[in-house]
Amino acid sequence: MMVSPNSSKWDLGRLFRTLAFFRTIPFLGSFDTISIPGPQKQPEKTAKRTKGTVLVVGATGGVGKRVVKLLQQRGYDVRSLVRDLDKTRPILGPDVQLIDGDITIPQTLTPPVTNDLKAVICCIGSRVQPQEGDTPQREKYYQGIKFYLPEVIDTPEMVEYIGVKNLVTAVTTAATEKTLCDFTQPTREMQANWGALDDVVMGGVSESNLRLVNGTAFFSGNVSTANSGGFASVRSRNFAPPFNLADYTGIDLRIKGDGNRYKFFIRTDPKWDGIGYSYSFDTAYNIPFTVRIPFSEFVPVFRAKTVPNAPPLDPSQIYSFQIMLSKFEYDGQLNPNFKPGIFQLQIESIKAYGGKKLPQFIQVSSAAVTRPGRPGNNPQDQIPIVKLNDQLGGILTWKLRGENAIRASGLPYTIIRPCALTEEPGGKALFFDQGDNITGKVSREDIAQLCIAALESPTAMNRTFEVKETEYFGPNNWENLFTQLKPDN
Ligand SMILES: NC(=O)c1ccc[n+]([C@@H]2O[C@H](COP(=O)([O-])OP(=O)(O)OC[C@H]3O[C@@H](n4cnc5c(N)ncnc54)[C@H](OP(=O)(O)O)[C@@H]3O)[C@@H](O)[C@H]2O)c1
């Protein structure tokens, strides 16, 4: 028998192993296939519908614990970052999701803390206590009633500025980026979800695999053009449930290549061999870089043929990814960089980028943050907290820097600056002002109510204001109060 120089022995066993991996059976005489459902996770049937998840930071504090209670009463899921789980559970009860962490330690602000948030309500504060020492119940000294010389326990720069900035950065990153495959944190499940899909399915002999080693996924192998073949690829099994990336702009690949041109495919239906959406990208030898692919730039294809009439990629249902090195571009065109033989592409992560759903950030700051060192001889700049600012580690100065980080973040925000906080019952009519000139007091209960009102009113967005109570009892017309405020520039 004559053997053509570009033909090699085809391995039928590899074809069946490939199809078995993807749980697919070929119909005789055609390459149509059916998919057999695998042992994949099903979406929870009885998922409780809530108004969304709100992260409360400082939930063990005077304002924070009241905010938690009100959020629960109003049907939100509450998540809280706390420094001491054992101390917190009895304070907040069983229904709050508690995560151990500290805003001054960025490594603790992980995706379980920051993912899928409707809002953040930040009620943190550096601990200030009477110099004589706090009572066992950590009761507050009541400003204006009994005055002890205060001292600060934490470092205000770390808590009020660095900590708040860490939190803002973590929340913004989590909202704008969604990690889909993080190969720096490999798991067995991740390895098991990717399989080779080489030209053996068309009679070819190319061979590849994906190995998770040293915090990266190595897509490597040998691509051969024998038997009219010429592609090697790895594909994920179908995600269950599929990713909904409707709120994102595209895909972000962190890679290190070998100079070859590769293709990245997305499939938006669970079928084995339906339309895929493809994007070709070039790599440089051994240089790490990021490829950002807007969803709008993926080309609909059936195998290597473009399908001009196909609907545009629907990012709300993403079932699988595939990474390929192919001799072909599209519609018979050749990959201009293609060389048969050994290849290697390292993939660090696959993420969605450009998330458009940003959580609201509500900050409980303080009146008087702009007063230390303010020019002029205003009586409102002579109140005790302003005079004690240096002694208290510059607490007001650092709170203002924290506010600035929030205002610059691009997150929709509300910054509430209460006058002296009290443990008195709430229910007072509140007075709002801007310009940082008022003095007075306000109950922590009313500040907690105000946080919820800000969460639920778009009119409160991007505003910074001071608040104190009046001598009258409420109720407050929140919309009227927020409407009086000027938005920050
Ligand atoms: N006192 C006043 O008259 C007054 C006036 C105006 C504004 N304010 C401000 O209003 C805000 C709320 O006051 P509040 O009396 O409710 O505060 P608070 O009772 O002192 O509570 C502070 C909270 O912040 C948490 N926290 C501190 N450092 C943290 C860190 N590094 N990581 C995570 N959590 C941290 C504390 O957690 P732990 O339980 O772990 O300590 C606690 O839950 C504060 O910013 C305060 O400065 C106070």
Side-chain angles (χ1 to χ4, degrees), residues 58 60-63 83 87 102-103 124-125 365-366 399 418 421 444:
T60 50
V63 174
R83 296 192 283 187
K87 179 188 97 175
D102 184 323
I103 58 168
I124 59 96
S365 177
S366 177
K399 270 187 193 292
L421 290 174
R444 287 186 172 84

Side-chain angles (χ1 to χ4, degrees), residues 120-171:
V120 179
I121 303 185
C122 179
C123 313
I124 59 96
S126 331
R127 252 175 300 164
V128 179
Q129 66 176 29
Q131 279 182 9
E132 287 84 347
D134 234 336
T135 65
Q137 293 79 29
R138 292 202 48 209
E139 280 167 4
K140 301 282 151 192
Y141 68 97
Y142 294 90
Q143 208 166 338
I145 299 172
K146 229 174 186 183
F147 188 78
Y148 297 102
L149 267 183
E151 66 180 358
V152 74
I153 306 298
D154 302 307
T155 312
E157 179 182 0
M158 285 307 294
V159 177
E160 315 280 355
Y161 172 52
I162 308 275
V164 169
K165 202 160 67 138
N166 290 340
L167 182 61
V168 164
T169 305
V171 167

Side-chain angles (χ1 to χ4, degrees), residues 199 204 206 223-226 228-232 325-328 338:
D199 57 14
S206 301
V223 67
S224 160
T225 55
S228 307
F231 74 85
L325 174 58
S326 174
K327 172 181 165 183
F328 295 101
F338 182 75

Side-chain angles (χ1 to χ4, degrees), residues 124-412:
I124 59 96
S126 331
R127 252 175 300 164
V128 179
Q129 66 176 29
Q131 279 182 9
E132 287 84 347
D134 234 336
T135 65
Q137 293 79 29
R138 292 202 48 209
E139 280 167 4
K140 301 282 151 192
Y141 68 97
Y142 294 90
Q143 208 166 338
I145 299 172
K146 229 174 186 183
F147 188 78
Y148 297 102
L149 267 183
E151 66 180 358
V152 74
I153 306 298
D154 302 307
T155 312
E157 179 182 0
M158 285 307 294
V159 177
E160 315 280 355
Y161 172 52
I162 308 275
V164 169
K165 202 160 67 138
N166 290 340
L167 182 61
V168 164
T169 305
V171 167
T172 311
T173 307
T176 50
E177 253 181 36
K178 186 180 178 86
T179 300
L180 309 171
C181 303
D182 180 2
F183 298 116
T184 65
Q185 314 278 327
T187 61
R188 262 190 210 171
E189 193 193 3
M190 208 183 268
Q191 177 73 72
N193 273 341
W194 288 82
L197 176 45
D198 300 320
D199 57 14
V200 66
V201 293
M202 317 289 276
V205 296
S206 301
E207 209 163 345
S208 70
N209 62 30
L210 187 95
R211 287 169 300 120
L212 305 185
V213 190
N214 297 335
T216 187
F218 280 83
F219 166 40
S220 61
N222 185 7
V223 67
S224 160
T225 55
N227 300 1
S228 307
F231 74 85
S233 80
V234 283
R235 175 168 163 173
S236 69
R237 282 178 170 149
N238 282 345
F239 306 118
F243 287 118
N244 179 351
L245 304 179
D247 291 323
Y248 295 83
T249 305
I251 294 289
D252 174 303
L253 300 175
R254 308 268 155 103
I255 54 148
K256 188 150 81 173
D258 57 1
N260 272 310
R261 172 177 293 190
Y262 291 86
K263 288 178 182 174
F264 183 78
F265 289 88
I266 285 178
R267 280 190 172 71
T268 58
D269 77 38
K271 279 199 296 209
W272 161 254
D273 199 19
I275 286 179
Y277 292 83
S278 171
Y279 182 88
S280 299
F281 60 93
D282 293 319
T283 63
Y285 179 75
N286 212 21
I287 297 179
F289 70 98
T290 298
V291 184
R292 285 209 150 177
I293 319 167
F295 289 127
S296 57
E297 291 192 15
F298 278 87
V299 179
V301 294
F302 180 69
R303 300 182 191 162
K305 285 204 186 76
T306 56
V307 186
N309 298 329
L313 189 160
D314 172 8
S316 69
Q317 288 210 87
I318 291 187
Y319 278 93
S320 69
F321 298 139
Q322 185 175 1
I323 305 164
M324 179 182 282
L325 174 58
S326 174
K327 172 181 165 183
F328 295 101
E329 273 289 273
Y330 308 104
D331 303 326
Q333 300 279 324
L334 294 177
N335 173 352
N337 297 350
F338 182 75
K339 282 183 283 323
I342 303 289
F343 68 89
Q344 177 181 290
L345 175 71
Q346 292 179 45
I347 309 134
E348 188 185 288
S349 62
I350 304 173
K351 297 179 179 181
Y353 76 91
K356 291 165 260 199
K357 233 184 181 170
L358 300 176
Q360 217 174 318
F361 198 104
I362 296 166
Q363 170 78 348
V364 180
S365 177
S366 177
V369 290
T370 67
R371 296 183 211 179
R374 187 159 75 168
N377 203 13
N378 307 311
Q380 64 270 32
D381 297 353
Q382 310 303 321
I383 58 175
I385 186 70
V386 178
K387 290 199 197 152
L388 287 168
N389 187 46
D390 287 345
Q391 195 178 320
L392 296 178
I395 189 165
L396 293 173
T397 313
W398 293 115
K399 270 187 193 292
L400 179 62
R401 298 277 299 271
E403 283 188 5
N404 290 342
I406 297 164
R407 279 186 286 263
S409 68
L411 295 173

